Amino acid sequence: MKIVVIGGTGLIGSKLVGLLRGKGHEVVAASPNSGVNTITREGLAEALSGADIVVDVANSPSFEDKAVLEFFETSGRNLLAAEAAAGVGHHVALSVVGADRLPESGYLRAKVAQETLIKASKIPFTILRSTQFFEFVGAIVESSARGNEIHVSPALLQPVGSDDVVTALAKLSLGKPVNGIVEVGGPEKIPLDGIARTYLAAKRDSRRVVADVHARYFGTELNDKSLTASDNSLVGSIRFEDWLNQSPVAA
């Protein structure tokens, strides 16, 4: 089959392209760098010509509330219109676990807007909501720094390895559209302040982690159910500490 991966040169997209090509499919890694732009529509119709499946894993270059909403709405409308014109049979999108539970977050509001466009289209679809990736823990920690302290929520997270997310995306993409939402999370639910301490210890970073129930995550406060997957979700196999020990962070 011909599969177009929007955002095909990023963390998730590049791994997904490699996995699907390894299964013998014709895969287009579509991104602005490859001449395919879902905002301007440059190269979009050409990339989607003859496509059976489109997987959208693109992310906004800005997380500012207005900019991120404009990105996901504009990109979503343009992409879905181009898919309808090309006769695409399955639209797959990567979203975020808890997006609909945290309306104070501008980023997550934008992901809900993206999901709404997908559901309103006539294209058969599957939405995979993922918990936070291991690879982004460092960015979360650094964005929570206040001098020599890291202020983060003690709420539970269920972080997942990008490899596990890619495996789930590939399986769902090649299967029948579910016309609904599937969730994936890691094998462990861990307090965010504990994740931060483990990460800093691996870096031999002596900064102190402060558990703060009012600390904000992408603009919103958290509780133990905010960012954890449902009981019937897909569960990855990679543990956070095992990933950390093999990552450049530990090295």
Side-chain angles (χ1 to χ4, degrees), residues 20 30 38 60 72 82-83 132 159 169 175 191 232 236 249:
L20 291 172
T38 56
S60 172
F72 281 116
E83 288 179 33
Q132 186 56 270
L169 272 173
N232 61 348
V249 174

Side-chain angles (χ1 to χ4, degrees), residues 75-96:
S75 177
R77 288 193 186 100
N78 290 343
L79 181 57
L80 291 165
E83 288 179 33
V88 171
H90 190 186
H91 177 94
V92 182
L94 181 61
S95 191
V96 182

Side-chain angles (χ1 to χ4, degrees), residues 151-157 189-195 197 209-216 221-225:
H151 287 244
V152 290
S153 171
L156 291 176
L157 252 65
K189 297 179 181 180
I190 315 169
L192 179 51
D193 61 312
I195 293 172
R197 289 189 185 94
V209 175
V210 178
D212 179 355
V213 295
H214 299 298
R216 290 187 170 260
E221 293 185 8
L222 302 176
N223 61 50
D224 283 347
K225 293 185 178 180

Side-chain angles (χ1 to χ4, degrees), residues 4 19 36 67 75 79 96 115 132 160 185 192 211 218 230 238:
V4 179
L19 181 58
V36 182
S75 177
L79 181 57
V96 182
E115 292 181 2
Q132 186 56 270
V160 65
L192 179 51
F218 288 103
S230 60
I238 307 168

Side-chain angles (χ1 to χ4, degrees), residues 191-207:
L192 179 51
D193 61 312
I195 293 172
R197 289 189 185 94
T198 301
Y199 174 82
L200 291 176
K203 286 186 66 180
R204 297 171 180 81
D205 187 325
S206 62
R207 284 178 293 176

Side-chain angles (χ1 to χ4, degrees), residues 55-222:
V55 187
D56 184 8
V57 296
N59 206 357
S60 172
S62 170
F63 284 11
E64 188 274 325
D65 285 4
K66 182 180 178 182
V68 72
L69 180 61
E70 287 180 351
F71 175 86
F72 281 116
E73 287 190 330
T74 303
S75 177
R77 288 193 186 100
N78 290 343
L79 181 57
L80 291 165
E83 288 179 33
V88 171
H90 190 186
H91 177 94
V92 182
L94 181 61
S95 191
V96 182
V97 163
D100 55 343
R101 297 195 288 265
L102 298 169
E104 290 185 18
S105 167
Y107 181 83
L108 297 180
R109 287 198 304 272
K111 293 301 289 184
V112 170
Q114 179 191 27
E115 292 181 2
T116 300
L117 288 171
I118 295 167
K119 293 172 185 175
S121 78
K122 295 181 180 180
I123 301 167
F125 71 92
T126 302
I127 296 171
L128 177 65
R129 284 184 177 174
S130 172
T131 57
Q132 186 56 270
F133 308 148
F134 297 156
E135 288 85 352
F136 289 162
V137 166
I140 295 168
V141 169
E142 295 305 331
S143 69
S144 305
R146 299 183 190 175
N148 289 321
E149 294 182 338
I150 308 295
H151 287 244
V152 290
S153 171
L156 291 176
L157 252 65
Q158 194 177 346
V160 65
S162 61
D163 286 350
D164 282 333
V165 176
V166 168
T167 297
L169 272 173
K171 181 177 179 180
L172 292 170
S173 299
L174 298 175
K176 293 182 179 180
V178 303
N179 293 313
I181 295 170
V182 178
E183 293 188 346
V184 63
E188 303 168 300
K189 297 179 181 180
I190 315 169
L192 179 51
D193 61 312
I195 293 172
R197 289 189 185 94
T198 301
Y199 174 82
L200 291 176
K203 286 186 66 180
R204 297 171 180 81
D205 187 325
S206 62
R207 284 178 293 176
R208 176 172 170 257
V209 175
V210 178
D212 179 355
V213 295
H214 299 298
R216 290 187 170 260
Y217 177 96
F218 288 103
T220 188
E221 293 185 8
L222 302 176

Side-chain angles (χ1 to χ4, degrees), residues 30-53:
S31 72
N33 290 338
S34 67
V36 182
N37 192 315
T38 56
I39 300 298
T40 66
R41 296 184 294 227
E42 176 191 1
L44 191 55
E46 294 82 358
L48 266 56
S49 178
D52 301 288
I53 302 164

